[in-house]
Amino acid sequence: MWTVVGVLALVALAVFVLWRGSSTVFYVVMSLFLALAMEPAVSRLSRWMPRAAATATVMLALLLGIAAFLGAFGSLLVDQLTSLVQATPDIATNVLDRVNEATGSSYTFEELLRSSGLSPSDLSGYAQNVAFGVFGLVTAVLGAAFGLFIVAFFLFYMSAGMPALRRWLATRMPPRLQVPFLTAWDLAKVKVGNYIAARVVLATLSALASGVAFFLLDLPYWLPLALWTGLVAQFIPNVGTYVSIALPVLVGLTSPEPVLGLWVLLYGIGYQQVENLTIEPRISARAVNVHPAVSFGSALLGAQLFGLPGALMGVPLAATAMAMLEIYQRRHEKAPEVEETVAALVQPRVDPTTDAEPERSAAASGPASDDDPERA
């Protein structure tokens, strides 16, 4: 009885900790995921310098890369992004006008709002709430910055001490479990690192190609749209490709030259075919090498559980699980007689005396009964 009480108390304590400390658990899991993603670069640099210095070098290189990009395109990006946000109402109006012209209707925003159960007074109330919530917005931004600091703090120490952490966890397990645990750890390290590296390479290529294409097409706000296309297409699994090209096409259709939307759409289709047939298979095959259906299902399940971070973690974790199954699952040879037996059981049989409808096979009809002498 006391054992049951103790187990229930431990379960209640674990639930309480996970409930009240869910944000900390999320930070730790994300830091571990990012540490695994950095592991290939850190492990290579640690051959020539201490591991802590290698971790700091990789993190500093990432910060310098972001700072260099913002220094080169920061002002242009901010100007175009601000103009895009300010032009959003005009874009929505142009879209509604095009829909009315194509369908011969005369919808207005007031009618659409009224049909959806909203009124202009409701929207003004929402706007006032947003205006009064500036302090909450500032608090949210500060909270996000604090969260990034926490993740960076955990990331540095987890990456710098990953070999010690791996050894410490392994020594807390019996010898029969150490080999599977260390195998899963190393597989996750390889899969996560390769997956993130592949996504970064594909996002960079997509953003560069989109930036050149949008600039040559003279598409408005070409730089933020190119970044949007590259990042969303690669870091939102499965549906990111379609979501990423939809916004540039919409901006092109509502521009002074609506034919730009068609050209952008043709570019998106063409680049996607080139990427799917030449670039992406070579990179992804070395990264995770999982079936597309498994990738889609794992990303969907991860997104439903943990949002966008879960979608990113779902694919490499599924690849790790599939690799573990390939190593430890028991396989059995399939004898040729098996197919012959299956074909004989599945094939319908016809009564030669009556030439009636096919009888069910003996295996499907079940055991013979004393009440049925013919079947017996």
Side-chain angles (χ1 to χ4, degrees), residues 39-55 58 163:
E39 182 60 21
V42 173
S43 61
R44 288 187 177 91
L45 287 178
S46 61
R47 301 173 185 173
W48 297 280
M49 63 181 68
R51 188 173 178 87
T55 301
V58 173

Side-chain angles (χ1 to χ4, degrees), residues 57 98 118 171-172 200 205 231 354:
T57 302
R98 299 287 167 79
L118 296 176
T171 55
R172 297 304 184 273
V200 170
L205 294 177
L231 294 176
T354 60

Side-chain angles (χ1 to χ4, degrees), residues 112-180:
L112 295 177
L113 292 175
R114 197 162 39 248
S115 62
S116 62
L118 296 176
S119 63
S121 60
D122 295 331
L123 294 180
S124 62
Y126 295 150
Q128 292 177 0
N129 293 334
V130 172
F132 286 118
V134 172
F135 178 75
L137 177 62
V138 173
T139 304
V141 172
L142 293 177
F146 182 68
L148 290 176
F149 172 77
I150 294 176
V151 171
F153 183 84
F154 280 132
L155 173 61
F156 175 79
Y157 285 103
M158 282 188 175
S159 179
M162 184 167 290
L165 177 62
R166 176 179 180 271
R167 183 172 57 255
W168 183 84
L169 291 175
T171 55
R172 297 304 184 273
M173 299 180 181
R176 61 184 179 84
L177 296 179
Q178 290 181 0
V179 173

Side-chain angles (χ1 to χ4, degrees), residues 78-110:
V78 171
D79 293 341
Q80 290 194 1
L81 189 59
T82 303
S83 301
L84 177 60
V85 172
Q86 293 176 351
T88 300
D90 295 334
I91 292 175
T93 302
N94 292 335
V95 169
L96 184 60
D97 293 339
R98 299 287 167 79
V99 171
N100 288 332
E101 292 178 3
T103 60
S105 56
S106 58
Y107 293 111
T108 61
F109 283 110
E110 289 77 10

Side-chain angles (χ1 to χ4, degrees), residues 209-231:
S210 300
V212 172
F214 296 165
F215 178 77
L216 294 177
L217 290 173
D218 198 17
L219 182 69
Y221 325 113
W222 62 271
L223 182 57
L225 291 178
L227 293 176
W228 163 272
T229 302
L231 294 176

Side-chain angles (χ1 to χ4, degrees), residues 318-357:
T320 303
M322 296 297 293
M324 289 292 293
L325 288 177
E326 289 293 327
I327 294 174
Y328 287 103
Q329 72 178 355
R330 180 178 298 178
R331 297 186 178 184
H332 304 276
E333 294 293 335
K334 186 180 69 173
E337 296 80 5
V338 172
E339 294 292 347
E340 298 176 359
T341 305
V342 171
L345 291 174
V346 173
Q347 184 178 4
R349 293 182 298 175
V350 179
D351 189 352
T353 59
T354 60
D355 197 20
E357 60 182 16

